[in-house]
Amino acid sequence: MKKLKYIVLLLLLVLIALTGCGNDKVVLMTTEDNQVSDTKEITESEVPVVQIEDLTTEEKNREEATAEEKNITIAQIYEANSGDVFLKDGKGYSVNTIYYSHGTEVYSELQYLGFDEYGMYMQAYEDSEGYVEVLDSGNLCWYIVRNGQVSTLIYPENGMADIMIDYSHNDMVISDPASSGETIVDVYKLNGDLVVETSLVSEFDEEYLNRYVLDENYRIITGECYEEDELISSFWTTENAVYNESEELTAIRSDLEKRLVTVSYPDGSGVEYIYQIPRQCPVELKLFASVAYADEACNTKWVEINPMSDGFYADENIYVKKVN
């Protein structure tokens, strides 16, 4: 019995060897008139791999824009996304932006354009580091929150406050192409939405690609900015938005007890600005072509006064002299 089993086992091993079991080679044979004419052995690594390149979802859903849509200009987009258009219905508008580094979120900011609870025109800005700016449009100054401290920012040079308000008012979503140089490079449809791609070169010769998704009124719904195919920022807009400031800032802004900060130009022009500042807040000045002094003779550079013993700030005078 043992010998018979041995013979059977031996026969099985022979059959397995004949069938080439365990051979890592592929045998290709061609026949002609039912006769084997050629035999070639190649390894598996030599077998060509057939690759089918699938279209991306975006490419599948991309459609040709109409001739009219392709004629859109960057100036039209800028105008459609200006503050004048946003606020004509008396409601607020916000833009949330996220910034990335190698695909990781590193920073974010919120911008708001609208009206406060009293119906006054309002601009607000916040970032992920806790910095806040809120416009006091009736007093032409800004409330600043930095490291938990509330202060008041003033642009006292003639007309500068209006320039800053106008800049934020119209360039919140997209910059003026007349100054930025942003140009359209492609227009197409994606999932039924109009997509406009633009090119923008910075003052440091860095080239950016912006991709905007527009609604039927050319308002930008979302936007993405790329540098060398890397996404560096994205944003989305919200119509009928409401800005919710902190309770502390609301209390300070609503405090009826103010101090007077008078900014004068001792050059004989008679220019003078009087600001009603919350008495809890120190003042910060932003000057571009002038220097601030604590005395009318312009001998001592201005620095904010210290608060009084009760923690509040007193009235003060600031003298601003233009730089020749």
Side-chain angles (χ1 to χ4, degrees):
M1 287 294 292
K2 289 182 179 180
K3 184 176 181 180
L4 180 59
K5 288 181 178 180
Y6 175 80
I7 294 173
V8 172
L9 180 60
L10 183 61
L11 289 173
L12 288 173
L13 290 173
V14 171
L15 288 173
I16 291 171
L18 289 175
T19 57
C21 180
N23 194 339
D24 62 353
K25 294 184 178 182
V26 179
V27 179
L28 301 181
M29 303 179 65
T30 60
T31 61
E32 183 177 346
D33 298 331
N34 297 323
Q35 298 295 323
V36 176
S37 62
D38 187 35
T39 302
K40 180 181 179 182
E41 291 187 353
I42 60 174
T43 64
E44 289 182 354
S45 62
E46 295 173 328
V47 178
V49 178
V50 179
Q51 294 182 342
I52 300 176
E53 185 176 346
D54 292 331
L55 293 174
T56 64
T57 302
E58 178 176 318
E59 290 171 328
K60 288 179 181 179
N61 296 331
R62 179 168 171 157
E63 302 174 5
E64 191 79 6
T66 66
E68 181 181 357
E69 290 168 336
K70 287 184 177 181
N71 286 330
I72 188 174
T73 66
I74 194 71
Q76 287 177 303
I77 298 174
Y78 175 72
E79 182 180 354
N81 290 273
S82 67
D84 293 335
V85 173
F86 292 156
L87 302 183
K88 67 181 181 181
D89 57 0
K91 298 180 180 178
Y93 207 88
S94 68
V95 180
N96 289 78
T97 306
I98 299 175
Y99 297 89
Y100 306 92
S101 177
H102 304 294
T104 301
E105 178 181 339
V106 294
Y107 182 75
S108 62
E109 60 185 14
L110 162 71
Q111 298 176 83
Y112 173 80
L113 199 64
F115 302 90
D116 64 15
E117 64 273 23
Y118 304 108
M120 294 288 291
Y121 173 76
M122 185 179 192
Q123 292 180 5
Y125 171 90
E126 292 186 4
D127 67 24
S128 53
E129 296 179 350
Y131 179 82
V132 178
E133 282 187 17
V134 177
L135 170 67
D136 178 355
S137 59
N139 207 24
L140 288 182
C141 62
W142 284 256
Y143 297 103
I144 304 295
V145 181
R146 185 189 295 108
N147 299 324
Q149 171 66 51
V150 180
S151 60
T152 303
L153 176 65
I154 297 173
Y155 292 86
E157 292 173 297
N158 190 28
M160 189 55 65
D162 291 328
I163 291 174
M164 299 304 299
I165 292 172
D166 183 65
Y167 175 81
S168 300
H169 178 79
N170 289 310
D171 290 47
M172 186 173 75
V173 179
I174 182 174
S175 298
D176 186 350
S179 58
S180 68
E182 189 170 2
T183 58
I184 294 176
V185 295
D186 198 7
V187 180
Y188 55 91
K189 300 292 284 292
L190 187 64
N191 298 320
D193 294 320
L194 183 64
V195 180
V196 176
E197 294 185 354
T198 68
S199 175
L200 178 64
V201 179
S202 73
E203 58 181 322
F204 304 107
D205 294 329
E206 298 164 326
E207 187 171 354
Y208 299 101
L209 173 73
N210 292 313
R211 181 179 296 158
Y212 302 117
V213 177
L214 279 58
D215 67 11
E216 65 276 7
N217 297 313
Y218 292 166
R219 286 193 181 183
I220 298 175
I221 305 169
T222 62
E224 295 177 332
C225 180
Y226 294 85
E227 182 180 13
E228 296 183 352
D229 297 327
E230 180 182 347
L231 178 65
I232 60 174
S233 69
S234 63
F235 71 85
W236 69 94
T237 61
T238 304
E239 294 186 71
N240 302 326
V242 176
Y243 176 68
N244 296 311
E245 66 183 15
S246 68
E247 293 183 0
E248 178 189 14
L249 185 54
T250 299
I252 291 175
R253 294 203 316 122
S254 303
D255 191 343
L256 296 179
E257 293 192 44
K258 310 286 186 181
R259 67 177 176 127
L260 298 182
V261 175
T262 303
V263 179
S264 304
Y265 280 76
D267 56 4
S269 64
V271 175
E272 184 178 83
Y273 302 101
I274 300 176
Y275 300 90
Q276 298 185 51
I277 305 298
R279 56 183 182 157
Q280 306 96 320
C281 298
V283 166
E284 297 181 28
L285 294 184
K286 185 67 173 180
L287 298 168
F288 294 92
S290 306
V291 177
Y293 295 89
D295 61 315
E296 190 172 1
C298 297
N299 293 320
T300 305
K301 292 287 185 68
W302 173 84
V303 293
E304 176 60 293
I305 59 176
N306 292 321
M308 298 179 293
S309 58
D310 57 4
F312 296 131
Y313 290 83
D315 296 347
E316 63 179 312
N317 294 289
I318 303 171
Y319 302 91
V320 175
K321 183 178 181 180
K322 294 181 180 179
V323 177
N324 294 328

